[in-house]
Amino acid sequence: MAHDTSGHGFSTKAIHAGQTPDPLTGAVVPPIVLASTHMQDGVGNLRSGYEYARGGNPTRDGLQVQLAALEGADHAFAFASGLAGEDALLRSVLVPGDTIVMGNDVYGGTHRLAKRIFGRWNVSVVTVEMTDLDAVKKTVAEHKPKVLWVETPSNPFMKVSSIADLAAIGSSVGATVVVDNTFATPYLQRPLEWGADVVVHSMTKYLGGHSDVLGGAVVTNDKEIAEQVGFHQFAAGAVMSPFEAWLTTRGIKTLAVRVDRHGENALAIAHMLADDSRVAEVFYPGLDTHPGHELAKKQMSGFGGMLSFRLATAAQAKTFVESTSVFTLAESLGGVESLVNYPCEMTHASVRGTELEVPDTIVRLSVGIESVEDLLADVAAALNAAV
Ligand SMILES: *Cc1c(COP(=O)(O)O)cnc(C)c1O
């Protein structure tokens, strides 16, 4: 029996959507289907539509159903990485000569993809401050973009921009409005409900949640975009593998409890940093001093596990990131373990010298779900070492 989760709450969907027990054996967790090809009962007479794994795989399909349920969407597509999904989406909606308008602090890899890969196909990239709606209106009216690319909260400054307002601005010129929902996850924010056309994810981060899988997703209610993205997934082939899909599905089942704890721990650390005079500035939307706090309260159901802060000098910032013991110095984010990152030389090295450059005094934390007292003590000790 298929679980119909449509009337259920978030975590019921996360655990049951697309995860029907195996009809043959009753295995509660559907087995991973690794087969690259499926037997046909006569030419073209397929079992449940399965033929060749690039076109469709039961384990990937289960994840796609699960993802669509969580974002409140009709269609979801799983890719080999976040950028592979973004690439398939952009190929689906752009033609040479088109323009993309994106935030001036989007994920560096997204900017690089748009500028250096799509730039070769004569696609233009215009960046704008997404929290300044007048500036966005002006830029959109002037450039008539085919795509308006939104990332909220943004990285590393955790700027919050209004999805509903940006969706209206984008729609006014017929742009496809895309929200990168990697930081918030569908547990905290569902952009399609605020009028966005498409949601993308790096599932490598919170959805996978354990720093052991690379994956991406494109999610939409738009039938035409879905047809195109599905075609690109099949025809260009950057599909997620069955094992990766299974790991991601497993991660998603605990998304809500993990993100609750990420948020509690991050808020505690943000308060501690904000109360410390050695810290120049803290960027966390859960602080009532954050310029996006009120909007975040309206648009999100929590503030997530990512935060950044500024120290007085680059030397202090670099010493801090090399002085923690529970926080591991590493790129990426969204796993159960806490990570510390020096954006200007690590995650944001690819945007050095562009308008997306991050100052060398900024430290970014991906706050994990370890015991909060250990995280607080670790941050305090690293601050003492640095300043
Ligand atoms: C990591 C990340 C991506 C890219 O995803 P990959 O899985 O690394 O390809 C895109 N957007 C955001 C916000 C990210 O953090």
Side-chain angles (χ1 to χ4, degrees):
M1 277 285 290
H3 290 296
D4 175 13
T5 63
S6 52
H8 286 147
F10 186 89
S11 282
T12 310
K13 290 180 188 164
I15 292 165
H16 293 293
Q19 297 305 307
T20 308
D22 179 38
L24 199 62
T25 64
V28 167
V29 177
I32 309 174
V33 177
L34 293 167
S36 58
T37 190
H38 295 253
M39 180 183 78
Q40 307 192 6
D41 298 315
V43 177
N45 188 2
L46 309 180
R47 296 200 183 180
S48 311
Y50 291 109
E51 184 174 14
Y52 181 66
R54 175 158 37 71
N57 164 269
T59 312
R60 190 169 86 232
D61 282 357
L63 168 62
Q64 293 180 162
V65 170
Q66 186 188 25
L67 276 170
L70 296 189
E71 289 285 4
D74 294 331
H75 313 278
F77 302 92
F79 289 89
S81 70
L83 284 174
E86 295 183 14
D87 178 48
L89 171 64
L90 290 175
R91 287 175 201 250
S92 298
V93 297
L94 294 172
V95 294
D98 283 343
T99 298
I100 311 175
V101 168
M102 51 174 56
N104 58 12
D105 55 356
V106 289
Y107 178 71
T110 302
H111 186 255
R112 181 177 55 204
L113 172 71
K115 262 206 118 86
R116 294 185 47 197
I117 307 276
F118 283 88
R120 293 181 63 181
W121 304 99
N122 197 24
V123 168
S124 309
V125 179
V126 178
T127 58
V128 63
E129 171 56 56
M130 279 291 165
T131 58
D132 181 347
L133 293 176
D134 288 334
V136 179
K137 265 184 209 151
K138 238 182 91 194
T139 305
V140 163
E142 186 187 336
H143 294 277
K144 305 257 181 319
K146 196 64 85 59
V147 170
L148 181 63
W149 192 282
V150 179
E151 205 177 304
T152 178
S154 73
N155 178 14
F157 292 111
M158 305 302 295
K159 287 188 205 159
V160 181
S161 45
S162 167
I163 298 169
D165 287 322
L166 293 167
I169 294 169
S171 305
S172 73
V173 296
T176 298
V177 178
V178 181
V179 175
D180 184 332
N181 206 26
T182 299
F183 271 38
T185 83
Y187 179 55
L188 300 182
Q189 168 175 289
R190 285 177 294 283
L192 301 179
E193 293 173 4
W194 295 101
D197 298 305
V198 184
V199 166
V200 298
H201 278 284
S202 169
M203 301 200 287
T204 312
K205 316 297 168 50
Y206 287 102
L207 295 180
H210 297 73
S211 305
D212 53 9
V213 58
L214 201 59
V218 178
V219 187
T220 186
N221 277 319
D222 185 304
K223 202 162 158 271
E224 275 170 40
I225 293 174
E227 265 169 29
Q228 280 298 315
V229 172
F231 175 71
H232 281 78
Q233 184 194 39
F234 165 67
V239 293
M240 184 174 232
S241 80
F243 186 66
E244 261 62 20
W246 177 81
L247 276 176
T248 306
T249 281
R250 189 181 207 260
I252 287 174
K253 290 177 185 175
T254 57
L255 181 68
V257 290
R258 283 188 286 109
V259 171
D260 280 341
R261 181 63 69 85
H262 282 293
E264 284 167 26
N265 287 357
L267 186 64
I269 291 170
H271 279 304
M272 188 180 85
L273 290 169
D275 289 343
D276 194 311
S277 60
R278 293 170 295 179
V279 178
E281 204 173 351
V282 182
F283 308 96
Y284 184 65
L287 294 176
D288 59 15
T289 50
H290 187 280
H293 181 64
E294 289 306 320
L295 179 56
K297 277 205 302 203
K298 183 176 133 200
Q299 183 169 278
M300 305 171 73
S301 54
F303 307 108
M306 297 301 298
L307 67 89
S308 298
F309 59 96
R310 186 161 61 81
L311 292 172
T313 68
Q316 289 178 358
K318 220 164 170 174
T319 307
F320 181 96
V321 304
E322 289 174 350
S323 301
T324 55
S325 59
V326 181
F327 281 81
T328 302
L329 179 63
E331 308 219 357
S332 199
L333 60 111
V336 291
E337 64 289 301
S338 292
L339 301 179
V340 60
N341 162 48
Y342 188 49
C344 76
E345 286 185 23
M346 293 171 61
T347 50
H348 290 65
S350 77
V351 294
R352 271 194 136 171
T354 75
E355 64 267 55
L356 278 72
E357 182 169 288
V358 174
D360 58 9
T361 49
I362 300 294
V363 172
R364 190 187 78 181
L365 301 179
S366 171
V367 179
I369 64 171
E370 299 95 335
S371 307
V372 69
E373 57 276 13
D374 296 329
L375 299 181
L376 290 167
D378 196 36
V379 170
L383 257 184
N384 286 338
V387 189

